[in-house]
Amino acid sequence: MNAVRVLPHVAAALERRAAVVALETSVLSQGLPVPYNAQCASRMVRAVESRGAVAALTAVARGIATLGLTDEELARFLARDGVRKVGSRDLGACTVQGADGATTVAASLTIARAAGIEVLATGGIGGGHRGAPFDESGGLAALSRTPVIVVCAGAKSILDLPATLERLETLGVPVIGFGTDELPGFFTRTTGLRVPQRSDSAAEIARIAHAHWALGERSAVLVVQPPPADTALDRAMVDAAVKGAVRDAEAAGITGPALTPFLLGAVLAATGGRSLPANLALLESNAGLAADIAVACAAAGA
Ligand code: PSU
Ligand code: MN
């Protein structure tokens, strides 16, 4: 597969079958405000490296699908201007038109998989939107067809979480609670929804994923871990903020790919900025767990 450019440090790690973690970039260019997106990038990369793995940012840089960004490219993605939000269906157009594209979980899975990367970290996956049952993230379909372990803090709080959990079952995507029996709620540690599996060990998660694929299943394996306690938000507060954000989005006529970034921005305002440290901390913590799992995968393959 040579449609993807792989930067030398990532290629070298893949070559020696070392642990590599893919990091999506839509969270940097659409999900988080400047300058916190830069903090996010460095905290996630440091978390991966401190656990002994190599981080590979996924993106389309001036039309080139890539694993790893040069410093100059990363600066463009952090400045956000003119950077498209690229899901699975947008990859072809973005490459042909030579544009910069920050990849969602869906498109990032495609790029990671093309290079044989087994683990990806994000904040919260997309899912079904509240009150808009046909606005379902392309992330779910991508999870159903891409054999990669995805580490997240559940689906984003702005979504219909019970419906999203049901859809993951329909799509055959295993959901494993890391150290929890409950689906975390992204900004919140609990949701009251039970997850079908629990594991307290990165090595066991690596084994579960490989057993899933060895039997011919081709879906992703979704690992959900609660956001760090010191910055996690209260359920009632998040619920009120999300309800207001959904109303604002309806009133402003926001739909489609613009909806998730709009809702995240509205929740940030409604929580008096408290959702931001929560979001940054959970992204860092997910990157760290993803690295532990990637290290376990590499050890199992050695
Ligand atoms: N996690 C975050 N913030 C984000 C995202 C994840 O903490 O902005 C991004 C991911 O790239 C995910 C996307 O794939 O949001 C979902 O967008 P949509 O609902 O339009 O599929
Ligand atoms: Mn959508």
Side-chain angles (χ1 to χ4, degrees):
M1 193 71 76
N2 53 12
V4 174
R5 179 192 76 172
V6 184
L7 286 196
H9 70 287
V10 179
L14 290 169
E15 185 69 28
R16 57 173 201 278
R17 298 186 165 279
V20 178
V21 173
L23 301 175
E24 54 109 352
T25 47
S26 179
V27 62
L28 303 179
S29 298
Q30 285 90 31
L32 290 168
V34 177
Y36 302 99
N37 58 350
Q39 273 183 34
C40 170
S42 53
R43 283 173 68 174
M44 289 185 86
V45 169
R46 239 183 296 124
V48 169
E49 290 174 350
S50 71
R51 314 281 187 106
V54 170
L57 289 163
T58 58
V60 179
R62 296 215 168 115
I64 299 168
T66 182
L67 273 163
L69 290 175
T70 65
D71 291 345
E72 195 192 332
E73 288 165 349
L74 179 60
R76 289 207 307 274
F77 280 77
L78 294 174
R80 300 175 44 141
D81 299 332
V83 178
R84 296 184 187 180
K85 176 176 174 181
V86 169
S88 297
R89 68 173 182 178
D90 309 310
L91 278 166
C94 191
T95 55
V96 167
Q97 294 169 352
D100 276 334
T103 47
T104 65
V105 167
S108 299
L109 282 171
T110 302
I111 293 174
R113 177 66 192 151
I117 291 177
E118 287 191 320
V119 189
L120 177 140
T122 184
I125 58 161
H129 280 277
R130 300 187 189 192
F134 291 101
D135 183 351
E136 180 179 286
S137 173
L140 294 187
L143 288 169
S144 76
R145 61 170 188 258
T146 321
V148 169
I149 299 168
V150 175
V151 180
C152 65
K156 284 192 276 290
S157 316
I158 56 173
L159 301 167
D160 183 335
L161 299 184
T164 300
L165 194 55
E166 292 294 342
R167 289 290 291 143
L168 288 165
E169 181 187 8
T170 306
L171 294 168
V173 178
V175 179
I176 305 176
F178 182 74
T180 182
D181 295 302
E182 217 179 299
L183 184 74
F186 186 62
F187 294 135
T188 65
R189 290 178 61 82
T190 61
T191 56
L193 301 166
R194 279 188 80 80
V195 285
Q197 313 293 338
R198 172 191 177 131
S199 176
D200 298 347
S201 140
E204 187 184 61
I205 289 170
R207 288 208 306 280
I208 291 171
H210 288 122
H212 179 68
W213 299 324
L215 287 165
E217 291 288 346
R218 278 293 160 266
S219 75
V221 171
L222 193 67
V223 177
V224 298
Q225 79 164 338
D230 52 342
T231 48
L233 304 182
D234 174 72
R235 263 165 80 178
M237 181 219 269
V238 171
D239 218 53
V242 169
K243 285 197 175 105
V246 169
R247 270 198 305 273
D248 292 351
E250 267 166 28
I254 310 282
T255 58
L259 184 57
T260 291
F262 177 91
L263 291 173
L264 289 173
V267 168
L268 180 61
T271 58
R274 273 183 282 187
S275 67
L276 186 60
N279 203 347
L280 294 171
L282 69 87
L283 282 154
E284 179 179 23
S285 136
N286 293 346
L289 175 58
D292 288 344
I293 296 169
V295 166
C297 286

